[in-house]
Amino acid sequence: MIYVRDLQLFIKVVNLGSFSAAGKALNLSESAVSKSIARLERYLDVKLIHRTTHTLSISDAGQEFYNGCVRGLREIEQGRAAADCLSIEMKGDIRIHSSPGAGQILVWPLILEFMNSHPDIRIEMVFGKPGLDMIEHDFDIGFRTNDLTREGNPGSPNIRRRSLRPVPYRIVASPAYLERKGRPERPEDLLDHNCLVLLNQPQSDEWSFADGDGQKLLRVNGALRSNSPLVIREAATNGFGVARMLNFAADDLIAQGALVSLFEDRIITDQQLQLLFPNFEKLPTKIRVLIDFLVERLSVGQSG
């Protein structure tokens, strides 16, 4: 193994032309310097320095090694300085706005993971309706689910958008509800059922279903509408009605028998999770690092 300290000693010996001068400069004995050079030569299996009683000269191999050491240690120092700078900048507040649903189920656990890795970061995460002016309300990052079946709003040129992954849904109901109200056989049957609507889109009560080569939109209705996926989940598992829930929120409950999946061959994945951030020429380091982390973890192809 090569130690950085040995490389520094070798460079100092070459620069000063003697073991004793290098030792004095680094507050080490001449014997310690000699052992360090010998350790390098044993590891490399090559003679780096020719030394007699009165003279010291560097070998051809030693000169090449010296040149590489100078470059390498310069890069190490630059990397250390960059890391120190990053450490200093990874402090302070980050404000995040997200629409409910995917933001709470997919994004929030990753924000907690990021906070554990960066304890000097303070997060303010607000869940609300999409369409908020992020810059006007001083948010650093935003998340929303975008309806892929509709023509999207180009939005503000001051905001950059990055599509991360599809957001698949299921139509679910509890066994108790289906026993009481009957199981809907066709999507159209939902018009006669109590549908629990998650208010995460302007047209949240319009549910999409595959219909031949196209799709069918059904405007559902029911006794409960909420912008909280937790409220919708609790209502569905307690038998209050039929819900449209994220796969990630529903799958465990389906496996436990608390919910039943409906119309599996008719479901369309029509939502896309998008990351929003200000279109600034240079983002603060803490914002850029968080964006890179979230993109890596949430982009298509990642698990979870």
Side-chain angles (χ1 to χ4, degrees), residues 21-33:
K24 289 178 182 178
L26 297 173
N27 199 27
L28 294 171
S29 67
E30 185 174 346
S31 173
V33 175

Side-chain angles (χ1 to χ4, degrees), residues 106-287:
L106 292 176
V107 178
W108 175 237
L110 296 179
I111 297 299
L112 287 176
E113 183 178 334
F114 183 82
M115 292 175 69
N116 283 331
S117 299
H118 302 283
D120 292 325
I121 292 290
R122 295 185 299 270
I123 296 290
E124 180 179 340
M125 190 157 188
V126 177
F127 296 99
K129 290 185 177 181
L132 183 77
D133 188 322
M134 285 178 50
I135 294 180
E136 179 182 345
H137 290 83
D138 199 27
F139 283 102
D140 300 300
I141 295 176
F143 287 91
R144 74 172 188 181
T145 49
N146 185 44
D147 192 337
L148 299 176
T149 66
R150 305 175 189 274
E151 184 177 352
N153 183 345
S156 168
N158 296 322
I159 298 296
R160 295 180 61 187
R161 292 166 173 78
R162 178 157 183 174
S163 293
L164 297 176
R165 65 185 301 166
V167 182
Y169 285 82
R170 295 191 188 280
I171 306 298
V172 297
S174 72
Y177 176 86
L178 296 177
E179 182 177 352
R180 189 172 71 252
K181 296 293 187 179
R183 180 174 182 138
E185 299 298 329
R186 304 172 304 147
E188 292 83 358
D189 294 340
L190 291 176
L191 300 178
D192 297 322
H193 281 264
N194 187 39
C195 293
L196 313 173
V197 176
L198 176 63
L199 300 173
N200 64 342
Q201 291 288 324
Q203 298 85 16
S204 295
D205 57 355
E206 291 186 357
W207 293 0
S208 302
F209 295 91
D211 185 27
D213 294 331
Q215 67 163 337
K216 174 177 290 187
L217 288 176
L218 289 178
R219 186 178 294 276
V220 300
N221 201 0
L224 177 64
R225 299 159 65 88
S226 174
N227 70 345
S228 169
L230 301 180
V231 168
I232 298 299
R233 184 184 68 182
E234 289 301 308
T237 54
N238 282 281
F240 280 92
V242 181
R244 188 173 187 253
M245 290 175 55
L246 284 166
N247 280 15
F248 313 99
D251 284 351
D252 286 348
L253 294 170
I254 292 171
Q256 296 165 13
L259 291 175
V260 176
S261 181
L262 306 173
F263 314 119
E264 290 191 348
D265 59 341
R266 301 286 301 275
I267 300 300
I268 294 177
T269 299
D270 58 358
Q271 304 288 321
Q272 185 84 15
L273 181 63
Q274 289 189 326
L275 169 65
L276 288 69
F277 52 95
N279 190 20
F280 296 156
E281 183 175 346
K282 182 175 176 58
L283 290 169
T285 298
K286 60 186 177 183
I287 306 302

Side-chain angles (χ1 to χ4, degrees), residues 1-47:
M1 178 182 295
I2 292 182
Y3 297 95
V4 172
R5 184 62 168 168
D6 289 343
L7 301 181
Q8 293 170 329
L9 278 171
F10 172 66
I11 291 173
K12 187 65 71 173
V13 167
V14 174
N15 288 344
L16 297 181
S18 78
F19 282 29
S20 60
K24 289 178 182 178
L26 297 173
N27 199 27
L28 294 171
S29 67
E30 185 174 346
S31 173
V33 175
S34 178
K35 289 178 180 178
S36 174
I37 300 303
R39 187 162 50 241
L40 278 177
E41 290 179 330
R42 283 196 306 272
Y43 182 84
L44 297 170
D45 195 24
V46 68
K47 192 69 173 175

